Amino acid sequence: MAMQSSHAGASPSTVDPAEVAKFSKLSDEWWDPKGKMAPLHKINPLRLTYIRDAACRKFDRNVKSLNCLSGLRILDIGCGAGLLCEPFTRLGAQVIGIDPSATNIAAAKLHADKGHLSIDYRCTTAEEMDVRERFDIVLAMEVVEHVADVKLFVARCGEMVRPGGLMIAATINRTLKSFALAIVGAEYVLRWLPRGTHQWDKFVTPDELEIVMERAGLRTTDERGVIYNPLSDRWSLSRDIDVNYMVLAEKAK
């Protein structure tokens, strides 16, 4: 996950070194569906479907085609070990995955090589990307709540979305309900995540995210809650955005 603070005398950055170190420690466990990254493995099918369907609607593709994302250029910011990069590559997309953690990128490259997948993994940040690079889709999944400067991060994302392209972000709302479920529940009761994974004051409300996206030239077209049902052990889309939610935004042509 890409974690992004400005330092005097240095180029602006949104990377939070403490956040990078935190996720680097988990690099060896990214691909274990029963390990510490189990929540991501469980939610991945829902996220993949939402992103794929949004891309097919926008770019007039047949969602049933096994190569439905062919020709599209996707940037996955905070890619971790490639849990999203690999399936989108299999759907035909040209995927660039970036993460400031060298150990995460190493884990991603190793797993892609085992699967004979060609993915452009880079140990870098959004701010360090070539300013001339543009993408059809920019993803920031479970990243916004870890960055040090949300405005700067989203502005850089907006610059990299080509005219007519999409940005999709998944993050956590800053509510009492999210504190109870995303921190107390997920980290202390269910122990889905290591304690300290999230900081409640860094969560971003949908209104706040929509404002910074608009300033970055991105128009929000959809907001969806993502909720977990403990009885079925499944995640689903919802209109309830009090905790986890995804935002779909478009850049004008």
Side-chain angles (χ1 to χ4, degrees), residues 38-121:
L40 283 181
H41 285 273
K42 289 182 179 180
I43 202 172
N44 236 21
L46 181 70
R47 301 191 308 172
L48 290 166
T49 300
Y50 181 81
I51 297 167
R52 181 203 63 190
D53 291 357
C56 288
R57 288 194 305 271
K58 178 63 179 178
F59 300 108
D60 194 23
R61 303 299 181 85
N62 179 2
V63 72
K64 295 182 180 180
S65 170
L66 296 178
N67 207 33
C68 61
L69 302 185
S70 178
L72 295 181
R73 210 161 176 257
I74 298 178
L75 174 65
D76 184 10
I77 302 174
C79 64
L83 269 65
L84 285 175
C85 294
E86 291 199 8
F88 286 131
T89 298
R90 291 191 175 94
L91 289 174
Q94 178 189 353
V95 181
I96 294 85
I98 69 171
D99 199 291
S101 166
T103 51
N104 286 347
I105 291 297
K109 288 181 177 180
L110 179 62
H111 199 270
D113 287 344
K114 290 179 180 178
H116 306 289
L117 296 173
S118 178
I119 301 173
D120 184 357
Y121 284 119

Side-chain angles (χ1 to χ4, degrees), residues 171-227:
T171 189
I172 306 176
N173 201 346
R174 192 174 64 255
T175 62
L176 291 177
K177 186 175 178 180
S178 72
F179 180 83
L181 296 180
I183 295 181
V184 177
E187 296 182 18
Y188 289 83
V189 178
L190 297 175
R191 297 184 181 181
W192 283 349
L193 300 168
R195 293 182 180 182
T197 297
H198 294 114
Q199 294 175 251
W200 183 81
D201 60 345
K202 295 183 75 171
F203 291 170
V204 181
T205 70
D207 288 345
E208 291 169 344
L209 188 54
E210 184 173 347
I211 289 171
V212 295
M213 281 187 161
E214 184 177 347
R215 291 173 179 171
L218 301 162
R219 180 176 63 89
T220 299
T221 59
D222 188 40
E223 290 179 349
R224 294 294 182 96
V226 181
I227 62 172

Side-chain angles (χ1 to χ4, degrees), residues 154-167:
V154 174
R156 185 67 188 101
C157 290
E159 291 173 349
M160 291 188 288
V161 179
R162 74 162 177 81
L166 300 174
M167 177 178 173

